[in-house]
Each structure stands twice: as structure tokens, then as C-alpha cells.
Amino acid sequence: MQINSYVSSIIARDQAKFEKSPAVKKAAKKEAQAALTDDVVAQIKEHAKKDAQVNVYMQKDYIQMINAHKQQRVSPDRQEAISRAALAINSAPKGKGSASLLSMLLGKYSMKAWVGGLVDTAEIYAPNGEMIAGYNSNGGWTEVSTEAEYQFLNQADQIYYDAFKEAREEINGASKSPAPEPAGEAAFDARV
């Protein structure tokens, strides 16, 4: 049973690695939309309006808020997978000669690594086959964005853009409209 699951994950990983399958894209869009709850959309719009007041697009607090929400609701658990992969890489025998291939399951994630050569490398894949992290012993770990993370940020940024643009139009419209006349002086006629 576990071997069939492993083989299926390898096939899905390879397909997702080279082309995002329609199923991966559809699931990612659905996941991103589910993460954009009414509360999150309201927070995005509030940040956009606040930023529009000072005319600064996507200030640091918006970026931190949206990234924290993405991490909590959309991102895979990379840290757990990276920890398991690092343990496997560090435990692998390092011999002289060519690198050895390690291909294994890390809980619900899978890994393909080459260890013992000039440079150790690894790739970690989510259950749907998308690569979520890469490693080389010269540079360390690098996170790779998933389609769901990309979709979430794209949709959130569109909501932000629309709200920011609307707020800037309101601000600019208010500054272009004529100032109201002070009360009590409206009937003054300069021709007298």
C-alpha cells in the first residue's frame, strides 16, 4: 500500500514539476479563494485605504499581514518537511565517488536528494506533486512557492489594488471639488 502511494506521489510530483496540471491549478484557485474570508478581505481593504491616505502602495504592515495569513492558511508545512529532509541528508552515508540518490517519504511530503557528491542537493514535494523547497549544501534551503500561494497573493493583491485605487480617486476627487462657501457669506455680491 505504501509503495503504491509513493509511486503515485512520484508521478504527481514529476507532472507538477514540469507543468502545473489543470487539477493542481483548479485546486490552488479554490484553496486561495477559501483563504480569502470576508474578514481577510476587510483587512486588505482597510490596509489599502490607510495606505492611500499617505499615498504609499503596499506598506510593510500590509505585506506582513498578508504573508502571515498566507503562511497560516495556504502554505504547506515546509519547516516540518525540511527538518525531516535535513535529518535524512545528514544521516545518509557519505562515500567517495558519485552521489547516492535518496528518494523517500517524509510524512505526507516526499523528497529526492543526491548526497555524497561534490554538492548535496535535495527537492521536497507536497502531496500534490509541487516542489515546495530545494536545497544545496553550498547555499542552504530555498522555499519554492506553490500554485495556491501564488493564487492567494495574486487575488489578495487585486483586492488591495482595487481598494487603493478607489480610495485614491476619492481623495483626489475631494481635493478637486470646489471648497464650500462659509455659512452666512453666501449672499455676498461683489458688484455692489
Side-chain angles (χ1 to χ4, degrees), residues 177-183:
S177 57
E181 295 182 24

Side-chain angles (χ1 to χ4, degrees), residues 48-162:
K49 289 176 186 175
K50 186 178 92 177
D51 293 351
Q53 290 295 322
V54 294
N55 200 21
V56 177
Y57 194 77
M58 288 191 186
Q59 292 194 76
K60 187 177 181 180
D61 57 339
Y62 166 74
I63 294 169
Q64 289 173 337
M65 181 277 296
I66 205 66
N67 281 334
H69 191 73
K70 176 190 71 157
Q71 182 75 24
Q72 183 181 42
R73 295 284 310 266
V74 181
S75 297
D77 188 356
R78 286 185 181 89
Q79 291 311 311
E80 177 189 345
I82 287 171
S83 294
R84 289 178 180 221
L87 182 62
I89 291 167
N90 293 335
S91 299
K94 310 281 196 260
K96 295 182 182 184
S98 63
S100 299
L101 172 64
L102 278 177
S103 192
M104 60 193 319
L105 290 175
L106 307 168
K108 62 183 179 179
Y109 301 100
S110 62
M111 174 186 77
K112 187 178 356 178
W114 295 266
V115 296
L118 187 58
V119 176
D120 293 341
T121 62
E123 297 171 346
I124 299 176
Y125 298 92
N128 70 354
E130 287 184 276
M131 185 173 161
I132 62 168
Y135 170 80
N136 89 41
S137 55
N138 288 338
W141 287 99
T142 301
E143 293 185 2
V144 178
S145 292
T146 65
E147 183 69 19
E149 290 171 311
Y150 170 77
Q151 287 287 334
F152 172 78
L153 291 175
N154 189 41
Q155 291 176 31
D157 289 351
Q158 186 62 52
I159 294 165
Y160 179 97
Y161 170 79
D162 292 341

Side-chain angles (χ1 to χ4, degrees), residues 165-176:
K165 182 180 173 188
E166 181 181 317
R168 287 303 306 160
E169 287 172 356
E170 286 177 13
I171 291 166
N172 291 337
S175 67
K176 289 180 183 177

Side-chain angles (χ1 to χ4, degrees), residues 21-36:
S21 71
V24 168
K25 287 182 178 181
K26 184 177 180 181
K29 189 171 187 176
K30 190 175 182 179
E31 185 179 353
Q33 288 172 340
L36 287 166

